[in-house]
């Protein structure tokens, strides 16, 4: 029989805090569309899905890796520019940063760092290279 592990109050607060921040961010994620940015990202991803290669078959504004990442999102979750905003490593990145900061022992500092990481995409929620 596996021993039951008791979750500390601090760990529970960290998890609840992260979930609250993610829920808060989710409210703003599908607003503030800028047509030319969203269209560029979506069209590049669709062209990669069709087998075209950035910079060879079409002009790509960025390095090209972002188009492959977006094409992967489209392939898994379906095509739609809203998919680019909903999925990405920002939640996972915020969680990792929070875990690393929490291991430092400063609980308030770790909550502040996670809030700062989550705030970045809210400033401009289109899935741009500056997220990464």
């Amino acid at each position: 029989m596996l021993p039951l592990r008791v979750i500390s109050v601090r760990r529970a607060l960290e998890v609840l805090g992260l979930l609250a921040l993610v829920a808060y961010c989710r409210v703003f994620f599908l607003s503030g569309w800028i047509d030319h940015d969203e269209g560029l990202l979506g069209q590049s991803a669709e062209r990669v899905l069709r087998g075209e290669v950035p910079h060879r078959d079409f002009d790509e504004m960025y390095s090209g890796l972002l188009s492959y990442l977006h094409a992967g999102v489209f392939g898994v979750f379906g095509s739609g520019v809203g998919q680019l905003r909903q999925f990405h490593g920002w939640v996972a990145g915020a969680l990792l940063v929070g875990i690393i900061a929490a291991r430092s022992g400063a609980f308030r500092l770790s909550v502040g760092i996670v809030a700062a990481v989550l705030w970045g995409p809210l400033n401009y929620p289109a899935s741009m290279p500056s997220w990464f």
Side-chain angles (χ1 to χ4, degrees), residues 8-29:
S8 68
V9 173
R10 178 179 171 179
R11 183 68 59 199
L13 286 174
E14 288 172 353
V15 170
L16 287 175
L18 179 66
L19 291 176
L21 285 169
V22 169
Y24 176 76
C25 291
R26 182 123 173 104
V27 171
F28 296 100
F29 239 55

Side-chain angles (χ1 to χ4, degrees), residues 68-130:
Y68 285 101
L69 180 64
H70 289 159
V73 171
F74 280 2
V76 172
F77 297 104
S79 293
V81 179
Q83 300 296 343
L84 299 180
R85 290 174 172 233
Q86 294 177 25
F87 175 82
H88 267 299
W90 67 272
V91 173
L95 180 61
L96 289 173
V97 168
I99 289 170
I100 292 168
R103 292 195 185 266
S104 72
F107 175 70
R108 289 185 183 140
L109 177 65
S110 67
V111 171
I113 288 172
V114 170
V117 168
L118 287 175
W119 187 254
L122 289 181
N123 287 327
Y124 190 69
S127 177
M128 301 301 283
S130 59

